[in-house]
Amino acid sequence: MKKATNQPTIFSIYAEDKKGLVGQVLVHFNKRSYEVISLNVARTDISDLLLLTIEAVVPADDLRPFTGRLKKIVEVYAIQTYADCLKKTGFFRLNALALNSELWLMIGKYGAFISAMGKTTFVVSKTGTDNDLDELYGKLEGPHLLGFCKSGLIVEESLVPFEEL
């Protein structure tokens, strides 16, 4: 694998929804041993049109030619690349014993919310950058934090009208 000396790049790819499309796109990343950090596939309001959001480490010198190769995939209509501006949703599973007034204040301060509640655990969710999620993780870390994951979303600027594709 190539050394990850560059910052991640976000690829917003509008493409026709065809069987095997995601695999076909990822083959290009795998051939060059580019690290894929996150992948999100979302349907759009236009029938048979998908928005793939891929966060990957691609060397700056390779970015333009690599994007050109991705554009040659028949089903791909448009590609935009962005620097680190991808928002993600973090999910923090906590022991119910952690639920107190101090935690409620922290959840509010960080713009998070409780998204699920069980008998012995609950889940706090927050949408933000990696730094936002890491900061909240640091505050929640301890014996009551039972699990954590984050899910990539999209870059808001990538939502473009179909006429511009």
Side-chain angles (χ1 to χ4, degrees), residues 16-17 87 116 153 156:
E16 186 178 351
D17 184 10
K87 287 191 178 173
L153 295 173
E156 285 93 350

Side-chain angles (χ1 to χ4, degrees), residues 81-101:
T81 58
Y82 302 91
D84 188 23
C85 58
L86 182 67
K87 287 191 178 173
K88 299 177 181 178
T89 298
F91 301 95
F92 306 82
R93 179 168 298 283
L94 295 151
N95 187 312
L97 298 174
L99 200 52
N100 59 32
S101 59

